[in-house]
Amino acid sequence: MSDQRVAFVTGASRGIGRAVAERLANDGRHVVLCSRSAAPLNDLAGTIEANGGAASVCACDVGDRDALSGAIEGVIKERGRLDILVNNAGITRDGLALRMSDDDWDEVIRVNLTSAFAAIRAAARPMMKQRFGRIVNVASTSGLVGNAGQANYAAAKAGLVGLTKTIARELGGKGITCNTVAPGFIQTDMTKDLPESVTAQVLSTMAVNRLGDPADIAAAIAYVTSDEAGFLTGQTIAVDGGLTMC
Ligand code: NAI
């Protein structure tokens, strides 16, 4: 079995997940790229390998918990280990709570929250055997302070914070840490269609006078998942340019 640490990153095809995957590969991890369709992941794996890194592809819908658990178990069988799990895949289905459809509620909870629970359960046993694991759940400042129009999303992201703390307590004695990284406003496909007035309003309440870049989040996750971060667990790190400071 290789000594190289293996990282499983969901939502790796673009945006924050892609930046995390590239950063972890640059830091010497073998990165397993997970997202719904294989094509963009194959392109990214090619880019990572061209830059001297190591990556493999695992296409899977994280909203299907059996498929996700099976995918993680497959990685463990194939690579003999799993050291780092980054639950990053996420979606929005915005709407005011009183008008939100049950489907929009269920879908956002399934993709953003239930998937993390399923992935953690699949990853935890091998991590316990290794007596090493780094789990990161990517939440959002919406889950910390709420956001009108995002009852489903904010509930899912706040749920990740509670899940993180519980997993940190349950697995801390086994060498496994679990933390939440909560991005603020980051320039990705998820935010590109927001009206300029919203962007300007967010900027006006931030301490750092710029929107975030996916690399800002990747840098935080690189540290939280590093070997040297073994004393950091159960925390929620808001990487948000000073938007919330809570
Ligand atoms: P994005 O929309 O650019 O990328 C989302 C990724 O998740 C894509 O790779 C997509 O294919 C994948 N994905 C979505 N549903 C999936 C499913 N069912 N199965 C497998 N993969 C799926 O989003 P972005 O901005 O990169 O967001 C990444 C994470 O960061 C999300 O959890 C999001 O909620 C969170 N976040 C983003 C913020 C932002 O300002 N962009 C702010 C706060 C949190």
Side-chain angles (χ1 to χ4, degrees), residues 54-71:
S56 47
V57 165
C58 178
C60 147
D61 177 354
V62 303
D64 176 342
R65 68 169 98 180
D66 291 339
L68 178 56
S69 305

PDB file of all heavy atoms in Angstrom, residues 54-71:
ATOM      1  N   ALA A  54      -1.465  13.419  -8.681  1.00  0.00           N
ATOM      2  CA  ALA A  54      -2.126  12.119  -8.868  1.00  0.00           C
ATOM      3  C   ALA A  54      -3.612  12.269  -8.587  1.00  0.00           C
ATOM      4  O   ALA A  54      -4.001  12.846  -7.570  1.00  0.00           O
ATOM      5  CB  ALA A  54      -1.520  11.096  -7.912  1.00  0.00           C
ATOM      6  N   ALA A  55      -4.421  11.737  -9.504  1.00  0.00           N
ATOM      7  CA  ALA A  55      -5.872  11.862  -9.332  1.00  0.00           C
ATOM      8  C   ALA A  55      -6.572  10.680  -9.981  1.00  0.00           C
ATOM      9  O   ALA A  55      -6.043  10.071 -10.913  1.00  0.00           O
ATOM     10  CB  ALA A  55      -6.369  13.165  -9.961  1.00  0.00           C
ATOM     11  N   SER A  56      -7.756  10.353  -9.481  1.00  0.00           N
ATOM     12  CA  SER A  56      -8.620   9.399 -10.172  1.00  0.00           C
ATOM     13  C   SER A  56     -10.051   9.923 -10.108  1.00  0.00           C
ATOM     14  O   SER A  56     -10.337  10.873  -9.370  1.00  0.00           O
ATOM     15  CB  SER A  56      -8.489   8.000  -9.582  1.00  0.00           C
ATOM     16  OG  SER A  56      -8.563   8.038  -8.187  1.00  0.00           O
ATOM     17  N   VAL A  57     -10.901   9.292 -10.891  1.00  0.00           N
ATOM     18  CA  VAL A  57     -12.240   9.834 -11.122  1.00  0.00           C
ATOM     19  C   VAL A  57     -13.290   8.877 -10.577  1.00  0.00           C
ATOM     20  O   VAL A  57     -13.183   7.662 -10.738  1.00  0.00           O
ATOM     21  CB  VAL A  57     -12.440  10.051 -12.640  1.00  0.00           C
ATOM     22  CG1 VAL A  57     -13.894  10.266 -12.988  1.00  0.00           C
ATOM     23  CG2 VAL A  57     -11.590  11.232 -13.097  1.00  0.00           C
ATOM     24  N   CYS A  58     -14.305   9.451  -9.936  1.00  0.00           N
ATOM     25  CA  CYS A  58     -15.383   8.634  -9.376  1.00  0.00           C
ATOM     26  C   CYS A  58     -16.692   9.395  -9.587  1.00  0.00           C
ATOM     27  O   CYS A  58     -17.036  10.266  -8.785  1.00  0.00           O
ATOM     28  CB  CYS A  58     -15.083   8.428  -7.894  1.00  0.00           C
ATOM     29  SG  CYS A  58     -16.311   7.495  -7.035  1.00  0.00           S
ATOM     30  N   ALA A  59     -17.390   9.122 -10.687  1.00  0.00           N
ATOM     31  CA  ALA A  59     -18.639   9.844 -10.971  1.00  0.00           C
ATOM     32  C   ALA A  59     -19.768   9.234 -10.155  1.00  0.00           C
ATOM     33  O   ALA A  59     -19.948   8.018 -10.155  1.00  0.00           O
ATOM     34  CB  ALA A  59     -18.950   9.773 -12.453  1.00  0.00           C
ATOM     35  N   CYS A  60     -20.494  10.090  -9.455  1.00  0.00           N
ATOM     36  CA  CYS A  60     -21.562   9.574  -8.589  1.00  0.00           C
ATOM     37  C   CYS A  60     -22.460  10.725  -8.137  1.00  0.00           C
ATOM     38  O   CYS A  60     -21.988  11.843  -7.937  1.00  0.00           O
ATOM     39  CB  CYS A  60     -20.861   8.876  -7.422  1.00  0.00           C
ATOM     40  SG  CYS A  60     -21.634   8.908  -5.858  1.00  0.00           S
ATOM     41  N   ASP A  61     -23.738  10.430  -8.010  1.00  0.00           N
ATOM     42  CA  ASP A  61     -24.690  11.423  -7.490  1.00  0.00           C
ATOM     43  C   ASP A  61     -24.668  11.325  -5.966  1.00  0.00           C
ATOM     44  O   ASP A  61     -25.096  10.317  -5.406  1.00  0.00           O
ATOM     45  CB  ASP A  61     -26.082  11.093  -8.041  1.00  0.00           C
ATOM     46  CG  ASP A  61     -27.148  12.034  -7.506  1.00  0.00           C
ATOM     47  OD1 ASP A  61     -26.846  12.870  -6.626  1.00  0.00           O
ATOM     48  OD2 ASP A  61     -28.299  11.920  -7.957  1.00  0.00           O
ATOM     49  N   VAL A  62     -24.190  12.361  -5.311  1.00  0.00           N
ATOM     50  CA  VAL A  62     -24.076  12.280  -3.849  1.00  0.00           C
ATOM     51  C   VAL A  62     -25.445  12.266  -3.174  1.00  0.00           C
ATOM     52  O   VAL A  62     -25.568  11.931  -2.002  1.00  0.00           O
ATOM     53  CB  VAL A  62     -23.196  13.417  -3.247  1.00  0.00           C
ATOM     54  CG1 VAL A  62     -21.801  13.412  -3.852  1.00  0.00           C
ATOM     55  CG2 VAL A  62     -23.867  14.772  -3.361  1.00  0.00           C
ATOM     56  N   GLY A  63     -26.468  12.651  -3.939  1.00  0.00           N
ATOM     57  CA  GLY A  63     -27.826  12.603  -3.396  1.00  0.00           C
ATOM     58  C   GLY A  63     -28.353  11.181  -3.273  1.00  0.00           C
ATOM     59  O   GLY A  63     -29.385  10.954  -2.648  1.00  0.00           O
ATOM     60  N   ASP A  64     -27.658  10.239  -3.875  1.00  0.00           N
ATOM     61  CA  ASP A  64     -28.026   8.818  -3.782  1.00  0.00           C
ATOM     62  C   ASP A  64     -27.077   8.194  -2.762  1.00  0.00           C
ATOM     63  O   ASP A  64     -25.929   7.879  -3.067  1.00  0.00           O
ATOM     64  CB  ASP A  64     -27.865   8.185  -5.180  1.00  0.00           C
ATOM     65  CG  ASP A  64     -28.127   6.692  -5.177  1.00  0.00           C
ATOM     66  OD1 ASP A  64     -28.103   6.062  -4.097  1.00  0.00           O
ATOM     67  OD2 ASP A  64     -28.330   6.150  -6.275  1.00  0.00           O
ATOM     68  N   ARG A  65     -27.563   8.017  -1.549  1.00  0.00           N
ATOM     69  CA  ARG A  65     -26.621   7.653  -0.477  1.00  0.00           C
ATOM     70  C   ARG A  65     -25.975   6.284  -0.677  1.00  0.00           C
ATOM     71  O   ARG A  65     -24.837   6.084  -0.307  1.00  0.00           O
ATOM     72  CB  ARG A  65     -27.254   7.804   0.901  1.00  0.00           C
ATOM     73  CG  ARG A  65     -28.340   6.847   1.230  1.00  0.00           C
ATOM     74  CD  ARG A  65     -28.672   6.950   2.705  1.00  0.00           C
ATOM     75  NE  ARG A  65     -29.839   7.801   2.904  1.00  0.00           N
ATOM     76  CZ  ARG A  65     -30.352   8.075   4.097  1.00  0.00           C
ATOM     77  NH1 ARG A  65     -29.799   7.622   5.184  1.00  0.00           N
ATOM     78  NH2 ARG A  65     -31.424   8.804   4.216  1.00  0.00           N
ATOM     79  N   ASP A  66     -26.727   5.350  -1.285  1.00  0.00           N
ATOM     80  CA  ASP A  66     -26.130   4.028  -1.519  1.00  0.00           C
ATOM     81  C   ASP A  66     -25.004   4.131  -2.551  1.00  0.00           C
ATOM     82  O   ASP A  66     -23.951   3.503  -2.415  1.00  0.00           O
ATOM     83  CB  ASP A  66     -27.192   3.026  -1.999  1.00  0.00           C
ATOM     84  CG  ASP A  66     -28.173   2.701  -0.884  1.00  0.00           C
ATOM     85  OD1 ASP A  66     -27.815   2.917   0.295  1.00  0.00           O
ATOM     86  OD2 ASP A  66     -29.297   2.259  -1.194  1.00  0.00           O
ATOM     87  N   ALA A  67     -25.270   4.921  -3.603  1.00  0.00           N
ATOM     88  CA  ALA A  67     -24.241   5.096  -4.645  1.00  0.00           C
ATOM     89  C   ALA A  67     -22.993   5.745  -4.045  1.00  0.00           C
ATOM     90  O   ALA A  67     -21.852   5.342  -4.337  1.00  0.00           O
ATOM     91  CB  ALA A  67     -24.789   5.947  -5.783  1.00  0.00           C
ATOM     92  N   LEU A  68     -23.213   6.731  -3.188  1.00  0.00           N
ATOM     93  CA  LEU A  68     -22.072   7.445  -2.591  1.00  0.00           C
ATOM     94  C   LEU A  68     -21.285   6.524  -1.656  1.00  0.00           C
ATOM     95  O   LEU A  68     -20.046   6.465  -1.725  1.00  0.00           O
ATOM     96  CB  LEU A  68     -22.585   8.681  -1.840  1.00  0.00           C
ATOM     97  CG  LEU A  68     -21.545   9.529  -1.120  1.00  0.00           C
ATOM     98  CD1 LEU A  68     -20.447  10.006  -2.064  1.00  0.00           C
ATOM     99  CD2 LEU A  68     -22.213  10.729  -0.440  1.00  0.00           C
ATOM    100  N   SER A  69     -21.995   5.789  -0.802  1.00  0.00           N
ATOM    101  CA  SER A  69     -21.294   4.859   0.100  1.00  0.00           C
ATOM    102  C   SER A  69     -20.521   3.835  -0.713  1.00  0.00           C
ATOM    103  O   SER A  69     -19.365   3.518  -0.408  1.00  0.00           O
ATOM    104  CB  SER A  69     -22.286   4.098   0.998  1.00  0.00           C
ATOM    105  OG  SER A  69     -23.087   5.004   1.682  1.00  0.00           O
ATOM    106  N   GLY A  70     -21.168   3.316  -1.773  1.00  0.00           N
ATOM    107  CA  GLY A  70     -20.512   2.314  -2.629  1.00  0.00           C
ATOM    108  C   GLY A  70     -19.265   2.895  -3.284  1.00  0.00           C
ATOM    109  O   GLY A  70     -18.227   2.208  -3.396  1.00  0.00           O
ATOM    110  N   ALA A  71     -19.353   4.155  -3.707  1.00  0.00           N
ATOM    111  CA  ALA A  71     -18.206   4.791  -4.364  1.00  0.00           C
ATOM    112  C   ALA A  71     -17.029   4.901  -3.389  1.00  0.00           C
ATOM    113  O   ALA A  71     -15.876   4.603  -3.737  1.00  0.00           O
ATOM    114  CB  ALA A  71     -18.605   6.173  -4.877  1.00  0.00           C
TER     115      ALA A  71
END
